[in-house]
């Protein structure tokens, strides 16, 4: 750029493309950090080299290839990028609330890469989000696992390639309110309006899915010898149910009460399904031995309670009780505010149950990675894993800790000292600036599931910053 | 056994010697010895004693003579802090968010300044013990909803009646200052329905506020004249709304003016000046940093929070809400911190911690949840620091109370040694090792599965 050549727009774009590609392939070595590896303890004064997007070396005085970006992290803490197992960022819709079962819809169709929530999450050290369908339906849509590659404009470029498919289920008040207690005097009400109804919606769906699967299996057998065999009628909804039964889709179930949590384990057991993460699961602590025996996972809030009746008998010691009972437990956000300080939310498990540093940090790294089936790629600092890391100025479990830089696959997407104040990718002159979130209190926060979520669709996606479906 | 449980049990044994082990809060004569005392008003005493008698702190220092009858609490390795104050909550007015029958914050109508939050305070709300075990001894609890929703009350988080709980007689008139819409128009609507005119709604709200205030000022003059010489005059008609505003007009009661956006803060500053109101505190103030100098110049104290919030605008730096308080203090504004919570007021120390990290600093953050609010509400003779003669509202911790790894080990409110107990701790005790003592195996699934 130091020549006097006047670039045409086209040339400039080509150059930009080149620079972008170069940046993607950039190597980085982070030097002299206190490395919180999660799976291999704390490593003092350690270098981590990320090359080609992958962690290739962990040690001291690493010799980095020529051109490697050097980051001095002396006195600072390096941890794996945080994984949020329950989020709704980067979505332009959340609930297909038109039926108690909508297994066929998928959040991959509504991913919005312009959503500022992605950058704000990066500023909180989060590199991977499980961005989910809402909780209006017993069987909601399929979710999307994304990496926070802020700046890409093609929704597909946010995708966490290789992450297993997951689906959202929901029990209790949200589906029963949305469907069974509809407005207009209950005239539009349909099953379920009770937790009994929720079970039967699940059982019907699984049974129909199983029969559909068997019909296709049967057809595939027949067609091998009989080219005139007639295939079953295609059904997208049942196709997804069949894939759940086949074990190809992980179930993530919005749930609160102990009884409904047990109910789902029984339904799943009947169909041989073992992959289950109970989301929120405020009363999971009451049935921890049963969940441990089933091999179920739990992804919980640090301390949310009492915003509705089914969370009135909660305890902030939930995560600690579950961990102590051997259950793979994560702490999630379900919020575009809370996901910016998941390290702090994990820290609360030390006050509420005395978890160790490694246990607390595992709940926002390796454990959510396990729950999303991506533990071979992210969730710890190990050779061969993705170069998703975050640098803190002090220990991330301290309330005073400040995330300073966040890398995804070796590329720096957040830098506290270099980023502009306004990090929007797209500025719309007609967009609402958004509500005054500073005024939002805990009381306003409840009940964003079911029909109420439509309220948020009244806002531009980029201003839809608080969209919990708790 | 779990570390915290061990600590809690050890604490109970340690701190309740001389009492029956009945978990009942009691006043008495207590000496907390060998502790690091964070007085807030007079620095840190590295190794000192706090003597509590009845509802008061009666001695503080390195060389306190401990009466023989005192219950000794050995604070070796521990710290003593003044109880934290949350300057804006709905605690004890609400029980279960989505169950309207359990919410007593919002009365019908836009102008209900005569509603008194203290009346609806439930001393047995489940959230109270859950909050106080974090070291929060005092909160302001507020009605909400309309333009003038009622009176907020300051309460201590122990007591069997609202009157026992009321702290320093503090009641504030809440005013939700009208919010001016921003450029870009109203909400996008489906179905092409007619857009409401947001400017019109704002102007209506402002006109309404001014009309009410005009009437209240007139009412005040009439009542004042009548009271001075009732002879031969007709007694004015009783107007409870006007009666509730009157003390604010006379400067006898503080106005809690809730305002957040830059434009609204500026409008509120003008309005307060115009109405010659001096006993005013602003609350919310999430865009205060944009007009910090103006707030400082006006000398208006601000209750700021929640700190753990997203910025008000998409164009704002990501950490504005964390940094807001620090920027206000830097400009010279007197501040207190609030959570704005009903159920998770216990996160006050963490809100303060984030404010501290993002520019406020630890000392000022501690002040913003102790002596700062006490001064703002004019009760610093009784509250906000560990000093002789003040209310015994304090707690003992094993570290910095803003850190999540710190445990709060003992709690005094109004001199009552309040046990570190809550329903959430009870559930922990019951369910941590749920089947301990069970001889037959746990049935995981029913037999037919």
């Amino acid at each position: 750029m130091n020549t006097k050549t006047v670039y045409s727009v086209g040339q400039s774009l080509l150059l930009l493309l080149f620079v972008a590609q170069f940046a993607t392939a950039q190597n980085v070595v982070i030097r002299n950090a206190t490395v919180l590896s999660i799976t291999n303890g704390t490593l003092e004064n350690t270098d981590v080299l990320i090359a080609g997007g992958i962690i290739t070396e962990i040690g001291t005085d690493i010799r980095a290839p020529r051109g490697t970006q050097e980051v001095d992290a002396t006195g600072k803490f390096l941890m794996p990028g945080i994984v949020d197992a329950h989020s709704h960022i980067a979505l332009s819709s959340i609930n297909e609330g038109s039926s108690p079962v909508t297994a066929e819809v998928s959040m991959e169709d509504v991913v919005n890469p312009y959503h500022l929530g992605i950058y704000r999450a990066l500023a909180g050290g989060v590199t991977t989000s499980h961005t989910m369908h809402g909780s209006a339906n017993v069987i909601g849509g399929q979710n999307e696992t994304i990496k926070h590659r802020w700046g890409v404009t093609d929704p597909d470029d946010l995708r966490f390639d290789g992450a297993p498919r997951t689906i959202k289920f929901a029990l209790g008040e949200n589906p029963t309110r949305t469907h069974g207690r509809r407005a207009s005097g209950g005239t539009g009400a349909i099953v379920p309006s009770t937790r009994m109804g929720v079970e039967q919606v699940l059982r019907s769906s699984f049974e129909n899915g199983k029969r559909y699967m068997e019909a296709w299996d049967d057809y595939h057998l027949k067609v091998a010898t009989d080219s005139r065999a007639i295939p079953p009628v295609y059904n997208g909804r049942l196709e997804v149910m069949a894939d759940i039964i086949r074990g190809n889709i992980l179930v993530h179930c919005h749930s609160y009460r102990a009884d409904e949590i047990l109910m789902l384990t029984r339904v799943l057991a009947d169909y041989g399904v073992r992959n289950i993460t109970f989301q929120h699961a405020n009363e999971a602590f009451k049935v921890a031995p049963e969940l441990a025996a089933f091999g179920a996972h739990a992804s919980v809030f640090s301390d949310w309670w009492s915003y509705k009746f089914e969370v009135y008998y909660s305890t902030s010691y939930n995560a600690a009780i579950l961990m102590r009972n051997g259950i793979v437990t994560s702490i999630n956000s379900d919020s575009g505010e809370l996901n910016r300080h998941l390290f702090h939310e994990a820290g609360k498990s030390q006050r509420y149950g005395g978890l160790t540093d490694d246990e607390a940090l595992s709940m926002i790294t390796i454990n959510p990675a396990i729950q999303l089936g991506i533990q071979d790629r992210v969730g710890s600092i190990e050779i061969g894993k993705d170069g998703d890391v975050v640098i803190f100025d002090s220990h991330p479990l301290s309330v005073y800790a400040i995330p300073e830089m966040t890398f995804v696959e070796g590329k720096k997407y957040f830098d506290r000292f270099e980023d502009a104040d306004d990090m929007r990718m797209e500025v719309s002159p007609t967009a609402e600036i958004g509500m005054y979130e500073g005024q939002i209190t805990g009381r306003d926060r409840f009940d964003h599931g079911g029909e109420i979520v439509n309220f948020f669709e009244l806002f531009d996606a980029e201003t839809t910053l608080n969209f919990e479906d708790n | 056994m779990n570390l915290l449980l061990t600590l809690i049990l050890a604490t109970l044994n340690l701190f309740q010697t001389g009492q029956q082990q009945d978990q009942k809060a009691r006043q008495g004569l207590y000496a907390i010895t060998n502790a690091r005392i964070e007085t807030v008003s007079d620095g840190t005493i590295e190794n000192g004693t706090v003597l509590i008698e009845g509802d008061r702190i009666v001695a503080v220092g390195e060389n306190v003579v401990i009466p023989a009858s005192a219950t000794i609490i050995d604070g070796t390795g521990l710290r003593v802090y003044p109880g934290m104050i949350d300057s804006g909550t709905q605690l004890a007015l609400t029980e279960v968010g989505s169950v309207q029958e359990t919410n007593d914050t919002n009365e019908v109508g836009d102008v209900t300044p005569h509603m008194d939050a203290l009346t609806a305070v439930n001393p047995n709300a489940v959230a109270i013990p859950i909050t106080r075990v974090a070291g929060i001894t005092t909160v302001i609890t507020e009605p909400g909803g309309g333009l003038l929703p009622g009176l907020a009350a300051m309460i201590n988080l122990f007591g069997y009646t609202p009157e026992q709980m009321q702290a320093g007689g503090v009641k504030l008139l809440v005013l939700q200052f009208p919010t001016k819409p921003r450029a870009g128009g109203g909400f996008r609507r489906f179905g092409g329905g007619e857009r409401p005119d947001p400017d019109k709604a704002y102007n209506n709200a402002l006109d309404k506020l001014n009309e009410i205030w005009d009437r209240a000022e007139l009412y005040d003059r009439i009542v004042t004249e009548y009271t001075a010489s009732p002879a031969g005059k007709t007694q004015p008609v009783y107007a409870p709304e006007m009666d509730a505003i009157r003390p604010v007009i006379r400067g006898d009661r503080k106005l809690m003016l809730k305002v957040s956006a830059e434009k609204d803060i500026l409008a509120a500053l003008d309005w307060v000046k115009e109405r010659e109101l001096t006993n005013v505190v602003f609350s919310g103030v999430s865009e205060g940093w944009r007009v910090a100098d103006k707030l400082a110049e006006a000398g208006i104290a601000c209750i700021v929070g929640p700190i753990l919030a997203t910025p008000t605008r998409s164009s704002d730096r990501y950490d504005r809400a964390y940094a807001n308080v620090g920027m206000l203090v830097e400009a010279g504004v007197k501040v207190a911190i609030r959570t704005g919570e009903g159920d998770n007021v216990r996160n006050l120390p963490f809100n303060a911690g984030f404010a501290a990290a993002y520019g406020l600093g630890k000392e000022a953050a501690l002040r913003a949840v102790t002596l700062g609010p006490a001064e703002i509400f004019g009760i610093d003779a009784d509250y906000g620091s560990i000093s002789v003669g003040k209310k015994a509202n304090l707690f003992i911790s094993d570290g910095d109370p803003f850190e999540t790894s710190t445990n709060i080990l003992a709690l005094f409110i109004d001199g009552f040694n309040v046990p570190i107990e809550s329903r959430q701790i009870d559930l922990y005790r019951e369910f941590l090792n749920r089947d301990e003592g069970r001889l037959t195996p746990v049935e995981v699934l029913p037999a037919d599965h």
Side-chain angles (χ1 to χ4, degrees), chain A residues 116 119-120 123 173 203 265-266 269-270 274 285-290 293-294 303-309 312-317 320-321 324-325 336-337 340-341 343-344 347-348 350-354 397-403 414 416 419 421-422 424 429-443 445-447 455 457-463 465-466, chain B residues 2 4 90 94-100 103 105 126-127 130 134 176 179-180 182-190 259-261 264 286-287 305-306 308-320 322 338 340-344 346-347 349-350 353-354 356-358 362 400-408 423-425 427-428 431-432 434-435 442-446 449:
Chain A
L116 189 61
Y119 175 76
R120 288 181 176 171
E173 290 180 19
R203 288 197 174 278
T265 63
R266 287 167 187 155
D270 283 351
R274 288 278 158 181
F285 70 93
K286 293 182 177 172
V287 288
E290 285 78 6
F294 190 82
D303 59 8
W304 285 15
W305 74 290
S306 97
Y307 43 92
K308 60 200 321 205
F309 191 71
Y312 188 49
Y313 294 91
S314 305
T315 175
S316 51
Y317 295 79
I321 296 172
R324 292 279 175 257
N325 277 269
E337 193 287 305
R340 306 170 316 137
H341 44 83
F343 48 95
H344 166 60
K348 290 177 184 172
Q350 303 199 305
R351 176 168 293 188
Y352 307 128
L397 292 175
S398 166
V399 77
Y400 307 113
I402 298 177
F414 164 71
R416 174 164 168 80
D419 289 353
D421 284 5
D422 183 357
R424 288 174 297 173
T430 57
E432 271 294 306
I433 296 167
M435 61 181 109
Y436 297 116
E437 287 146 286
Q439 289 184 327
I440 293 182
T441 67
R443 296 255 351 278
R445 203 171 55 189
F446 61 81
D447 238 9
F455 169 74
E457 291 168 4
L458 294 170
F459 292 85
D460 283 350
E462 76 161 12
T463 63
L465 297 168
N466 276 19
Chain B
N2 178 278
L4 178 62
Q90 284 133 16
T94 169
E95 196 74 29
V96 178
S98 69
V99 181
Q100 286 314 308
N103 293 325
T105 51
V126 170
I130 286 168
Q176 178 61 59
T179 301
K180 196 173 174 65
R182 285 165 165 165
F187 300 153
R188 206 158 21 123
R189 309 190 111 201
F190 292 125
V259 63
S260 270
D264 302 331
S286 45
E287 291 194 351
L308 290 165
T310 46
T312 51
R313 306 183 188 187
S314 306
S315 54
D316 283 343
R317 194 176 152 81
Y318 75 96
D319 62 358
R320 278 296 178 232
Y322 303 156
R338 69 163 196 181
E341 287 274 354
D343 48 7
N344 269 337
R346 58 182 163 183
N347 286 334
F350 308 141
F354 267 70
Y358 287 82
K362 293 183 192 183
D400 177 348
F402 296 169
E403 290 281 19
T404 49
S405 54
T406 297
N407 297 296
I408 310 303
R423 188 165 78 193
Q424 300 205 350
I425 294 172
L427 288 169
Y428 176 57
F431 286 98
L432 177 63
R434 194 194 68 183
D435 293 318
V442 175
E443 266 186 46
V444 175
L445 293 171
H449 280 79

Side-chain angles (χ1 to χ4, degrees), chain A residues 26 53 59 78 144 150 156 169 197 199 222 224 259 298 300 302 337 339 410 417 430 442:
Chain A
Q26 198 171 39
L78 185 74
E144 187 75 355
W150 179 243
D156 286 347
F169 283 17
E199 181 190 13
K222 274 190 191 148
D259 54 281
V300 303
S302 59
E337 193 287 305
N339 67 346
F417 304 108
T430 57

